[in-house]
Amino acid sequence: MPTEKSIPARVLELIRADGLPVGSHLPAQLLADRLRVSRTPVNDALSLLHEKGILHRERNRGYFLAQPVERPLAELVDQLGLDGDDAVTSAYFRIADDRLRGELPDEFPEALIKSRYGLTPAQLNAVLGRIAREGWAEKKPGYGWAFSSMLTTADSLLQSYRLRLALEPAALLEPGYRLDPAVLARCRAAEQHLLDGGIETDTADQLHERGVRFHESLVEASGNPFFIDTIRRVNRVRRLLSYRSMRDRKRYAQHARQHLQLLHLLEHERNEEAAEAMRAHLNATLRNHEKIRGILKP
């Protein structure tokens, strides 16, 4: 997996490049749009920078710059321990892979994760917090943690695609469907980035987040809160298998081209054609299920 700046480091890079003064508000969605990721890793990054003293948090208002970011970025990143190969990200993927291999029990104490992956208490809280937010483990009442039984097999991934196949084309046909031009432009730029080389250079995190953001953006434009809530839930819990399927990146160029075609149809309000194109797009993954099953074997 290519090594690159972590999300907290990239947030610092934006702050420095924009010359933001102390007191500047840092909206999570704005940062997510600029970094082309979802809000979840951005919120994690803001929380970490708050812990490091770079930001301060105001209740119901969000995060604000607490001190100037003027030193060379590499020096600041090194001092704060925010390099791209950070322990939390590394442990996260190792835990995911070990879980899929059946090397971790269904229930576990925090001490097991802390000792097995060599984490500090802060790193342990960060990685377990991320796993909990993504829905594949939860804290048990009283003591210990339990992994979710969902989405740890190739059949589970197939079931999630069947749900999406029923939901996403229908969302494009909702009355009053409107995809904001700014959102459309952002999605188009993200897909073009992949075709321009991002497929080979982006991390698994970035690939997953771009795919999630594309499909969620299209469903959000329906304005139907039931569709929106469902797609967000299924995307949270399918991460484990999605990450492993990214070992084979050959199919991403085709996916990016299909995404661009969907955007073209929606831009020209050809929603019925777009719904059929979405159905074909998701069906292609189902037809390749046996290939995905092989990738997902431990």
Side-chain angles (χ1 to χ4, degrees), residues 163-177:
L163 173 62
R164 293 176 59 202
L165 185 59
L167 183 151
E168 294 190 42
L172 305 185
L173 299 176
E174 278 291 280
Y177 184 95

Side-chain angles (χ1 to χ4, degrees), residues 48-252:
L48 179 60
L49 292 173
H50 168 65
E51 293 176 12
K52 302 286 188 180
I54 301 296
L55 308 179
H56 73 271
R57 180 170 52 203
E58 295 184 13
R59 188 173 181 179
N60 298 324
R61 294 191 65 204
Y63 292 91
F64 296 80
L65 190 59
Q67 59 177 274
V69 179
E70 298 172 342
R71 296 167 55 192
L73 185 64
E75 181 181 328
L76 185 58
V77 164
D78 183 63
Q79 179 193 350
L80 297 175
L82 302 177
D83 56 76
D85 191 26
D86 64 278
V88 172
T89 299
S90 174
Y92 172 88
F93 283 106
R94 288 168 61 200
I95 293 168
D97 207 48
D98 286 350
R99 174 58 180 164
L100 288 169
R101 291 175 181 276
E103 295 179 4
L104 289 173
D106 292 341
E107 299 184 1
F108 59 94
E110 291 185 0
L112 172 66
I113 301 300
K114 184 175 184 290
S115 61
R116 182 182 178 107
Y117 301 99
L119 301 173
T120 66
Q123 291 166 344
L124 176 68
N125 289 337
V127 75
L128 289 178
R130 176 175 177 179
I131 290 170
R133 283 190 296 275
E134 293 181 358
W136 49 280
E138 62 180 2
K139 191 170 179 57
K140 296 169 56 183
Y143 176 76
W145 288 70
F147 284 115
S148 168
S149 60
M150 294 180 66
L151 295 180
T152 55
T153 69
D155 285 336
S156 299
L157 185 60
L158 175 60
Q159 290 164 357
S160 78
Y161 273 100
R162 284 178 177 153
L163 173 62
R164 293 176 59 202
L165 185 59
L167 183 151
E168 294 190 42
L172 305 185
L173 299 176
E174 278 291 280
Y177 184 95
R178 180 180 181 275
L179 185 60
D180 185 270
V183 174
L184 190 147
R186 185 192 71 213
C187 290
R188 179 173 282 146
E191 299 305 317
Q192 193 59 53
H193 163 80
L194 293 181
L195 293 175
D196 290 342
I199 293 171
E200 290 77 27
T201 61
D202 281 9
T203 64
D205 246 345
Q206 289 174 311
L207 284 174
H208 181 79
E209 293 298 341
R210 282 195 175 92
V212 164
R213 195 69 207 119
F214 176 86
H215 285 275
E216 289 187 0
S217 294
L218 267 56
V219 172
E220 287 165 1
S222 72
N224 185 319
F226 297 99
F227 283 1
I228 295 167
D229 181 66
T230 301
I231 193 65
R232 287 175 178 168
R233 286 175 182 269
V234 74
N235 279 334
R236 280 200 299 270
V237 298
R238 72 185 180 91
R239 281 177 180 265
L240 273 180
L241 295 179
S242 294
Y243 281 141
R244 177 164 285 191
S245 73
M246 288 171 190
R247 291 178 179 176
D248 178 12
R249 302 191 178 203
K250 297 175 184 176
R251 57 198 173 92
Y252 277 87

